[in-house]
Amino acid sequence: MRTDTPWSALPARDHLLAGVADAAGAPVLDVVVPVYNEEKDLEPCVLRLHDHLARTFPYAFRITVADNASTDRTPEVARRLARTLPGVRSYRLEEKGRGRALRTVWSHSDAPVLAYMDVDLSTDLNALLPLVAPLISGHSDLAIGSRLARSSRVVRGTKREFISRAYNIILRSSLAARFSDAQCGFKAIRREVAQRLLPMVEDTGWFFDTELLVLAERAGLRIHEVPVDWVDDPDSTVHIVRTATEDLKGVWRVGRALAVGALPLDRLARPFGDDPRDRGIGGVPRGLARQLVGFCVVGALSTLLYLALYSLFRLGVGPQLANGCALLVSAVVNTSANRRLTFGVRGRGGAVRHQAQGLVVFAIGLALTSGSLAALGAASGSPSHGTELAVLIAANLAATVLRFLLFRAWVFPDRDRDQGGDRGGDADGDRGGDSVAVGDRGGDADGPVHAPPPRPSAEQADDTRTEPADDTHHELRNAR
């Protein structure tokens, strides 16, 4: 898996302004048509697409023919179209692979919105503007056409329909994908997202789409789906068996990389404040909701552990000793789990002190539960085991509320909020990536929100993007 992607966070999504793009001389939309030996269909496709965009698209556009190692007259047709039609360019790559062609052209494009479609134009072009509109407005990061949406109208054979639906079931079950159609040749992406995401995508063939979408979804990027009208091309040259085999290999590779954490998806995080859900609510301490959820989950699991241990110890000792032993073991486990999962403290620094403070909290819980058992024994003499458990559950609920308050205010206080220091005294200064990157990505709820990193200047952009010297025909013989 490639990991050589920029470290800085993505900038906040903004609505693209047509006047600014036009003044800079760059189109707003660059539609790539990847082709291989398509001398028959290329010219009708480009003519139809160019006419549709000229009539309906309100922004400047470009059509780029990405010829990846064609051996017929496709390069000649592409060059002729680039000479005769304004806003049409051609790229020539000496290696095959749709993914390779898209990565190469998208990486060199200066348009803020990048799209692609298959040369057969199976997808109705009326879906093109709805596809790119959420990207232009700043609402979404990627957009895909879906043939499997309820309102889509699709004409294709039973074999292809079965393969498509089976493939998406595999993606949902193995990679937990939530998008509905990974293989529809009708997609778009914002350029700043492509610049960070493309270096992580390894595939250069037909699995390129799926890998791009899975990584984007796992990184928390917003994917917009557009229902499309789609008519199958009976003359398609796609080799179904070979493509399906390569796709399954790609599913295994990506699933393994995600399982071992080999992908730095945190580099694709949007800055705090980009989403309305990031806005703080007055009077609510920072991270309280997330900490409550984590504490409840840990508390529920530790309560089950406590009850199981109590029942086990009760077989050989009296209720007071069984309660004390069970509560001690579960308290140690509870403190460790809350330290890491609820309050995001990592590293060994301060661990002993936290456990000591946790034992003080444990002593308070022990007093509550033991006092409850003593009161029950004094009241009924010899209560049943079920009655003992019911009393202990009630006592533990009361102790739980007090435990959370003590953990938050005393054991794991949020010192960063006031001092900007190291939470929990970790020796390595690791405050806990989860709580920073996901839960508290900005300042206090009532304090200022950190501004997104500045966009690169024109000079910086030129250092990382190579502009083709010719506007009509470009040779990329060493493309990846």
Side-chain angles (χ1 to χ4, degrees), residues 47 77 89 114 119 348 352 388 407 428 440 460:
L47 291 175
V77 176
R89 298 199 302 185
L114 311 169
V119 69
R348 298 180 179 179
V352 175
E388 288 180 353
F407 273 174
D428 57 359
D440 300 326
Q460 292 171 328

Side-chain angles (χ1 to χ4, degrees), residues 156-166 232 239-241:
R156 61 175 167 179
T158 304
K159 180 180 179 180
R160 287 182 176 270
E161 180 76 11
F162 172 78
I163 293 175
S164 180
R165 292 188 178 275
D232 190 17
H239 193 288
I240 295 179
V241 176

Side-chain angles (χ1 to χ4, degrees), residues 164-242:
S164 180
R165 292 188 178 275
Y167 180 63
N168 281 279
I169 291 175
I170 292 174
L171 292 180
R172 288 176 178 271
S173 59
S174 61
L175 299 179
R178 294 191 299 272
F179 47 84
S180 65
D181 192 351
Q183 293 181 311
C184 182
F186 196 69
K187 296 181 176 68
I189 186 173
R190 286 176 67 101
R191 184 181 63 188
E192 72 270 16
V193 177
Q195 289 173 344
R196 310 294 173 85
L197 194 55
L198 290 179
M200 299 185 188
V201 179
E202 183 174 329
D203 191 79
T204 59
W206 291 96
F207 187 69
F208 174 87
D209 301 46
T210 302
E211 187 170 356
L212 186 78
L213 290 174
V214 169
L215 299 185
E217 187 175 72
R218 287 299 186 95
L221 300 181
R222 183 175 293 163
I223 301 175
H224 177 74
E225 294 199 17
V226 178
V228 297
D229 297 337
W230 195 85
V231 179
D232 190 17
D233 178 17
D235 299 325
S236 175
T237 58
V238 178
H239 193 288
I240 295 179
V241 176
R242 182 170 61 246

Side-chain angles (χ1 to χ4, degrees), residues 53-195:
L53 289 170
R55 289 185 297 103
T56 65
F57 194 68
Y59 296 90
F61 66 88
R62 177 192 299 143
I63 300 173
T64 302
V65 179
D67 170 30
N68 46 319
S70 293
T71 57
D72 61 359
R73 294 182 56 256
T74 297
E76 300 175 21
V77 176
R79 286 194 294 268
R80 184 175 69 251
L81 291 169
R83 288 194 303 266
T84 58
L85 287 178
V88 175
R89 298 199 302 185
S90 67
Y91 274 88
R92 167 72 179 180
L93 291 90
E94 297 301 333
E95 294 180 88
K96 291 180 60 177
R98 184 180 67 170
R100 177 180 287 108
L102 291 176
R103 173 168 33 235
T104 302
V105 177
W106 281 356
S107 298
H108 288 78
S109 180
D110 56 355
V113 177
L114 311 169
Y116 95 89
M117 60 182 62
D118 291 335
V119 69
D120 56 18
L121 293 185
S122 295
T123 305
D124 184 13
L125 291 178
N126 287 327
L128 181 56
L129 184 56
L131 181 80
V132 301
L135 308 186
I136 294 174
S137 69
H139 175 271
S140 301
D141 299 297
L142 299 90
I144 64 174
S146 175
R147 299 163 297 184
L148 302 181
R150 288 183 178 273
S151 56
S152 298
R153 295 186 297 177
V154 177
V155 178
R156 61 175 167 179
T158 304
K159 180 180 179 180
R160 287 182 176 270
E161 180 76 11
F162 172 78
I163 293 175
S164 180
R165 292 188 178 275
Y167 180 63
N168 281 279
I169 291 175
I170 292 174
L171 292 180
R172 288 176 178 271
S173 59
S174 61
L175 299 179
R178 294 191 299 272
F179 47 84
S180 65
D181 192 351
Q183 293 181 311
C184 182
F186 196 69
K187 296 181 176 68
I189 186 173
R190 286 176 67 101
R191 184 181 63 188
E192 72 270 16
V193 177
Q195 289 173 344

Side-chain angles (χ1 to χ4, degrees), residues 353-437:
R353 175 171 57 83
H354 293 154
Q355 284 293 347
Q357 292 173 305
L359 289 178
V360 175
V361 178
F362 152 75
I364 297 175
L366 179 61
L368 286 175
T369 53
S370 297
S372 300
L373 283 176
L376 177 63
S380 58
S382 181
S384 65
H385 181 66
T387 303
E388 288 180 353
L389 289 179
V391 171
L392 287 174
I393 290 174
N396 268 285
L397 289 176
T400 297
V401 176
L402 182 59
R403 185 183 305 121
F404 176 77
L405 296 177
L406 290 174
F407 273 174
R408 181 175 171 84
W410 180 47
V411 183
F412 308 110
D414 193 355
R415 294 192 180 95
D416 288 350
R417 181 165 47 201
D418 301 321
Q419 304 173 8
D422 179 22
R423 172 184 285 182
D426 286 359
D428 57 359
D430 187 358
R431 181 179 178 269
D434 292 344
S435 62
V436 176

Side-chain angles (χ1 to χ4, degrees), residues 14 92 110 183 238 242 306-307 311 328 342 408 443 466:
D14 294 323
R92 167 72 179 180
D110 56 355
Q183 293 181 311
V238 178
R242 182 170 61 246
Y306 162 76
L307 293 175
S311 299
L328 177 61
T342 303
R408 181 175 171 84
T466 303

